[in-house]
Amino acid sequence: MTAQTLAKKISSREARVGIVGLGYVGLPLAVEYAKAGFPVTGIDLSAAKTIMVNAGESYIGDIPTSELAPLVASGKLRATTDFSVIRDLDTVNICVPTPLRKTKDPDMSFIVAATQEIAKYFHPGLLIILESTTYPGTTDELLLPMLEKSGLKVGVDFFLCFSPERVDPGNPKFQTKNIPKVVGGTTPACTEIGRLFYAQALENVVPVSSTQVAEMVKLLENTFRMINIGLVNEIAIMCNGMDINVWEVIEAAATKPFGFMPFYPGPGLGGH
Ligand SMILES: NC(=O)c1ccc[n+]([C@@H]2O[C@H](COP(=O)([O-])OP(=O)(O)OC[C@H]3O[C@@H](n4cnc5c(N)ncnc54)[C@H](O)[C@@H]3O)[C@@H](O)[C@H]2O)c1
């Protein structure tokens, strides 16, 4: 019954959408859902960010103020630092940071803090989706026990998913709406609700069988990118020493129609 009621609210775009963390990932997502007609509430610890959003002013390069302002003016999008709004929400996407610690382990404190706040205002019928980059197992091993303390049952009373974020800040061709969205739930019912949710606002959704698969997808993508940028940076150093134009080499190699993908030398490993 809970799943059917939530699915109906999502399909009719009446579901009240919450986005926790209004950064490079969260603000564009909030904008897409507001554009799709959902009432959206952004929640961030930063009062400065919530004040800017409520004034219709963007602080994220990919979101022009001209796009944000009308959504705020029409009442479709608002922001707050007060987590108690979760009492009235139907869905919550967690888009908080997961920086690395000095030891190179991910710092899970932001995810834990956000989930603790969500747990305080937890209620039946909620869909929770973690989007922060993290290690495989996080959703079911870390979030699920915190949420099940409520006595509510996952897949029946509430729904839990992981969906890796693939946003590429500054990319003019691929943005939140047209980047295919992978989503995996704790149970099949969770995956289905997660798929239905993303299908309302994004062009292409790719459901997978578990949260762990979805988490591992992100790890594979980031590792692939890191290794290949590292590789091309090494090739660039070699080319420089041999007086060969690395850009010409990459351009010519990229004409191979299979088994090669161009990566370009640069100062970092991607992401903002
Ligand atoms: N930016 C990218 O290119 C990119 C791409 C893919 C994945 N990701 C991942 O997405 C996640 C979010 O990244 P981002 O770039 O949007 O980070 P960001 O730093 O731009 O934004 C995170 C926001 O979360 C807020 N926040 C922190 N703790 C909070 C809490 N407990 N409750 C509410 N709000 C809180 C911060 O104030 C900030 O506004 C990270 O796990 C990141 O690794 C980022």
Side-chain angles (χ1 to χ4, degrees), residues 7 9-15 17-19 25-40 63 67 71 76 91 93 127 129 131 163 165 175-183 192-206:
K9 281 187 193 174
I10 290 172
S11 304
S12 62
R13 304 191 180 191
E14 283 159 36
V17 170
I19 310 287
V25 168
L27 189 63
L29 189 68
V31 163
E32 282 311 326
Y33 275 88
K35 276 173 31 187
F38 289 86
V40 180
I63 303 292
E67 194 178 340
L71 297 170
K76 278 288 170 206
T91 70
N93 290 63
L127 166 66
I129 306 180
E131 295 211 10
S163 177
E165 182 44 58
Q175 301 207 331
T176 302
K177 192 176 176 62
N178 64 351
I179 298 173
K181 197 85 172 105
V182 171
V183 61
E192 175 47 27
I193 292 276
R195 185 204 62 75
L196 184 71
F197 174 74
Y198 284 124
Q200 307 306 313
L202 310 183
E203 285 177 10
N204 200 341
V205 189
V206 184

Side-chain angles (χ1 to χ4, degrees), residues 4 6 27 32 63 138 191 200 203 211-212 226 248 252 267 270:
Q4 275 174 14
L6 181 57
L27 189 63
E32 282 311 326
I63 303 292
T138 304
T191 305
Q200 307 306 313
E203 285 177 10
T211 57
Q212 290 88 344
M226 188 190 78
E248 190 184 349

Side-chain angles (χ1 to χ4, degrees), residues 4-168:
Q4 275 174 14
T5 310
L6 181 57
K8 220 168 140 186
K9 281 187 193 174
I10 290 172
S11 304
S12 62
R13 304 191 180 191
E14 283 159 36
R16 289 153 302 180
V17 170
I19 310 287
V20 176
L22 294 172
Y24 287 90
V25 168
L27 189 63
L29 189 68
V31 163
E32 282 311 326
Y33 275 88
K35 276 173 31 187
F38 289 86
V40 180
T41 307
I43 307 168
D44 203 291
L45 294 181
S46 159
K49 284 188 180 169
T50 60
I51 288 168
M52 282 191 77
V53 170
N54 288 330
E57 279 175 45
S58 178
Y59 46 85
I60 296 288
D62 289 339
I63 303 292
T65 286
S66 58
E67 194 178 340
L68 182 67
L71 297 170
V72 176
S74 67
K76 278 288 170 206
L77 177 59
R78 68 183 183 116
T80 179
T81 55
D82 180 4
F83 275 82
S84 72
V85 293
I86 288 171
R87 280 196 195 106
D88 298 318
L89 297 180
D90 298 299
T91 70
V92 178
N93 290 63
I94 305 173
C95 309
V96 299
T98 36
L100 291 180
R101 291 183 190 276
K102 271 190 194 157
T103 51
K104 302 278 167 92
D105 298 311
D107 180 351
M108 305 304 286
S109 62
F110 301 88
I111 293 182
V112 170
T115 310
Q116 278 168 343
E117 286 297 322
I118 293 167
K120 276 191 208 164
Y121 306 105
F122 209 49
H123 58 83
L126 257 181
L127 166 66
I128 308 287
I129 306 180
L130 179 62
E131 295 211 10
S132 302
T133 301
T134 184
Y135 60 84
T138 304
T139 310
D140 283 9
E141 291 165 19
L142 188 69
L143 268 67
L144 183 58
M146 290 172 75
L147 299 174
E148 277 191 325
K149 272 192 190 149
S150 61
L152 298 179
K153 197 164 163 31
V154 69
V156 179
D157 304 317
F158 74 96
F159 306 90
L160 181 62
C161 296
F162 181 81
S163 177
E165 182 44 58
R166 291 166 152 176
V167 73
D168 189 20

